[in-house]
């Protein structure tokens, strides 16, 4: 597919809204495994490398991650810690910042949905303030009334911390 750019500069973006949320953001996790026979727990830390005000901590209760295999044999601490670290990384991925572009495209514009871009494609979107990014098309909402047809795509850009 050709490179698709949505922007008011190209008269193919009727309106756009932008939001950025760090409401559930976490960049560091303390992960605690299941309680052992001696009332201790294996714990590990997952650090995305951010410090100071950029470090936002989260506690992960991973007591459901078993420290024994299906036959009741103890899993070595290093291997068990790697399972806990994996759980921490999954939880941090679920608690990342989000950035969302939503726009209403001009149906008489340069690009046609279903020909030039599709659901799931990555397109470039830029609003009137110059904020832009490569964004994925998450959903398409069709509206048809007496004024004509409107296609409203929702774009989302993940933030990598």
């Amino acid at each position: 597919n050709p490179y698709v750019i949505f922007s008011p500069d190209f008269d193919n973006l009727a309106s756009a809204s932008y939001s950025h949320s760090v409401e559930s953001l976490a960049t560091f996790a303390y992960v605690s495994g299941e309680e052992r026979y001696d009332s201790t727990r294996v714990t590990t830390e997952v650090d995305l490398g951010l410090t100071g005000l950029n470090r936002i901590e989260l506690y992960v209760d991973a007591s459901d991650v078993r420290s024994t295999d299906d036959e009741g044999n103890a899993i070595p601490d290093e291997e068990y810690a790697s399972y806990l670290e994996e759980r921490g990384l999954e939880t941090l991925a679920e608690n990342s910042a989000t950035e969302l572009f939503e726009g209403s495209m001009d149906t008489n514009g340069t690009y046609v949905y279903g020909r030039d871009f599709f659901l799931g494609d990555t397109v470039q979107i830029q609003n009137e303030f110059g904020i832009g990014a490569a964004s994925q098309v998450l959903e398409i909402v069709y509206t048809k009334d007496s004024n004509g047809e409107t296609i409203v795509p929702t774009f989302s850009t993940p933030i990598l911390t």
Side-chain angles (χ1 to χ4, degrees):
N1 290 337
Y3 192 67
V4 176
I5 302 172
F6 290 102
S7 171
D9 295 341
F10 297 126
D11 291 328
N12 60 3
L13 190 62
S15 66
S17 65
Y18 168 78
S19 69
H20 175 88
S21 174
V22 293
E23 182 177 332
S24 65
L25 177 64
T27 61
F28 184 94
Y30 294 101
V31 186
S32 179
E34 73 178 359
E35 189 172 328
R36 294 184 167 190
Y37 62 90
D38 59 356
S39 298
T40 62
R41 291 179 183 256
V42 173
T43 60
T44 189
E45 298 175 355
V46 180
D47 188 357
L48 297 180
L50 299 173
T51 60
L53 294 176
N54 293 323
R55 179 175 161 153
I56 302 169
E57 298 177 353
L58 174 71
Y59 172 75
V60 179
D61 179 8
S63 58
D64 61 322
V65 177
R66 296 187 48 193
S67 61
T68 57
D69 62 18
D70 292 337
E71 294 154 3
N73 301 320
I75 296 173
D77 283 349
E78 289 179 10
E79 184 178 348
Y80 186 64
S82 71
Y83 296 152
L84 295 179
E85 184 176 341
E86 183 177 330
R87 172 65 65 85
L89 287 170
E90 290 170 359
T91 303
L92 288 177
E94 293 167 0
N95 289 281
S96 61
T98 58
E99 185 174 41
L100 183 72
F101 283 96
E102 186 173 288
S104 173
M105 62 179 272
D106 182 1
T107 55
N108 298 320
T110 313
Y111 303 113
V112 177
Y113 174 72
R115 182 187 74 197
D116 299 312
F117 70 99
F118 300 89
L119 189 64
D121 280 0
T122 300
V123 297
Q124 183 71 24
I125 183 167
Q126 185 170 348
N127 67 12
E128 61 273 15
F129 303 110
I131 299 172
S135 302
Q136 186 177 22
V137 180
L138 291 182
E139 68 180 351
I140 300 290
V141 177
Y142 290 98
T143 306
K144 192 169 188 175
D145 59 16
S146 60
N147 295 327
E149 183 179 292
T150 305
I151 299 174
V152 181
T154 301
F155 309 97
S156 179
T157 304
I159 297 174
L160 304 175
T161 54

